[in-house]
Amino acid sequence: MIIKKLGVMTSGGDAPGMNAAIRSVVRAATHHELECLGIRLGYQGLIENDLLELGARDVKNIINRGGTFLKTARSKEFKTAQGRKKAYENLKKHQIDALIIIGGDGSFTGARVFGSEYDIPVVGIPGTIDNDIYGTDFTVGYDTALNTVIEAIDKIRDTATSHNRLFFVEVMGRDAGFIALNSGIATGALDILIPEKDYNLDQLFTSIERGNKEGKSSSIIVVAEGEKLGGVYDLAKATGMKYPDYDIRVSILGHVQRGGNPSCYDRVLASRLGVAAVESIIKGKRDIMVGIRGNKIIFTLFEEAIRKKNEINEDLIKIADIIAV
């Protein structure tokens, strides 16, 4: 199949570096003399025929911007056969031969179904701050989010030290603890609670007492939002009941982790994956995600990327325990 025109979209949750990925796709398409259309608001925009032509100059000055200028959304309608049919009709109307989708596993699930139903070549670029997608060492947005968290926790420690306070800091990671584990190590957290690690209150209290015995003037406990003990406020309440003399505070970083200018690493990663996505489509690849492993571009079938998950490095959990004294 000869590819003459590409469509590119961002889907699901936004992540820093998505704009850099769009820019890379558009300019790689221009380099290979392909037309490129941007699809606004993800799958919903494809259903609603919200598309715009993109050339090299249309994506200038966006590599440094967070978010996605194409906007993003989650589409319930695309989960229906009727919705996907509307999307396909709009693809044909614009003579789009292939799609590049920047997003997470939910976006890739939709891509796999759509590509198989209508014989449309689709390639994915992993864009999510959670870093939980199988088939790549790093996802676009993860490095920036991690640095945002580190900067915030460093500032929280300043006030924790000034007042001898115990802070519970909740970070994003409903199903994966990559942000919590790595930021906890990097900021010297007293303890780190992640979904992948079985934990109980007695273990938490042991960590707190160990820190007190060692004379720590401040304590930071980093909690992934998906940890299994009931939520950061319940943890703080239980700790307060156990240690009524402690000055305990809760800080939820929330969506600040999604925003901000992408780091150098995310800009370069997004640029590499964007070019690889375009060139893989030209070579006839389809139903795959482009990723990076060992600093080399690799390809993973959508089915595998969706079915499997990146696993937490057990050595990092051990390291976190050792250096938390």
Side-chain angles (χ1 to χ4, degrees):
M1 179 180 181
I2 298 175
I3 305 296
K4 296 181 179 180
K5 186 181 292 188
L6 296 176
V8 61
M9 70 167 75
T10 49
S11 176
D14 62 300
M18 281 185 162
N19 277 326
I22 296 167
R23 174 182 181 270
S24 178
V25 168
V26 173
R27 293 193 170 180
T30 300
H31 174 79
H32 289 287
E33 299 182 339
L34 305 178
E35 295 181 66
C36 190
L37 292 182
I39 302 162
R40 290 169 51 86
L41 292 170
Y43 291 119
Q44 193 60 37
L46 189 55
I47 291 171
E48 296 175 0
N49 196 32
D50 191 356
L51 289 78
L52 67 158
E53 293 185 12
L54 293 176
R57 299 279 67 78
D58 296 312
V59 291
K60 66 180 181 181
N61 299 329
I62 67 168
I63 192 172
N64 60 314
R65 288 166 47 190
T68 162
F69 92 100
L70 286 178
K71 309 294 184 183
T72 183
R74 291 180 170 88
S75 174
K76 291 183 179 179
E77 190 175 359
F78 191 78
K79 294 180 179 180
T80 69
Q82 185 178 9
R84 293 191 296 274
K85 184 179 179 181
K86 289 181 183 177
Y88 175 72
E89 288 171 350
N90 285 327
L91 277 184
K92 292 294 98 181
K93 183 185 300 183
H94 291 279
Q95 298 180 317
I96 293 174
D97 302 309
L99 281 175
I100 293 176
I101 296 171
I102 307 162
D105 54 3
S107 303
F108 297 159
T109 298
R112 184 176 66 86
V113 173
F114 188 59
S116 63
E117 281 182 342
Y118 292 103
D119 194 27
I120 295 291
V122 187
V123 169
I125 296 174
T128 169
I129 67 169
D130 291 333
N131 203 46
D132 60 344
I133 298 180
Y134 180 82
T136 187
D137 288 340
F138 301 103
T139 57
V140 173
Y142 171 64
D143 184 71
T144 305
L146 196 55
N147 281 286
T148 298
V149 169
I150 289 171
E151 183 180 357
I153 294 178
D154 283 346
K155 292 177 179 178
I156 289 170
R157 184 175 291 282
D158 290 343
T159 191
T161 302
S162 298
H163 295 275
N164 289 329
R165 284 174 174 162
L166 169 62
F167 266 86
F168 286 88
V169 180
E170 183 186 273
V171 301
M172 284 186 167
R174 186 173 62 249
D175 302 309
F178 291 94
I179 292 176
L181 180 57
N182 285 274
S183 66
I185 292 173
T187 57
L190 177 66
D191 213 339
I192 305 166
L193 278 62
I194 58 176
E196 296 89 344
K197 182 181 176 182
D198 290 328
Y199 217 69
N200 59 54
L201 285 175
D202 287 338
Q203 290 171 301
L204 174 62
F205 296 155
T206 297
S207 295
I208 293 172
E209 289 167 7
R210 181 178 64 177
N212 186 52
K213 183 179 179 180
E214 295 292 334
K216 290 204 170 191
S217 59
S218 66
S219 296
I220 304 289
I221 297 173
V222 178
V223 183
E225 61 181 330
E227 60 77 32
K228 301 171 183 176
L229 289 180
V232 68
Y233 284 110
D234 288 341
L235 288 170
K237 182 178 179 181
T239 304
M241 293 177 66
K242 176 73 173 179
Y243 306 104
D245 295 332
Y246 277 34
D247 189 1
I248 299 172
R249 295 289 188 272
V250 171
S251 182
I252 297 177
L253 299 187
H255 284 81
V256 67
Q257 297 161 85
R258 287 194 184 277
N261 297 340
S263 65
C264 175
Y265 185 86
D266 273 329
R267 298 183 198 192
V268 174
L269 176 63
S271 299
R272 291 182 69 182
L273 296 183
V275 171
V278 172
E279 293 185 345
S280 64
I281 281 181
I282 292 171
K283 293 175 182 178
K285 295 183 182 293
R286 57 186 297 162
D287 301 325
I288 57 164
M289 181 196 79
V290 294
I292 188 165
R293 183 163 287 165
N295 205 32
K296 294 183 178 180
I297 296 294
I298 67 166
F299 304 97
T300 303
L301 290 172
F302 278 146
E303 183 177 356
E304 194 173 9
I306 294 162
R307 179 169 47 87
K308 298 180 180 180
K309 292 289 184 183
N310 259 358
E311 294 184 358
I312 285 287
N313 187 331
E314 293 292 333
D315 287 340
L316 285 182
I317 295 177
K318 178 182 176 181
I319 289 167
D321 290 338
I322 291 173
I323 65 177
V325 296

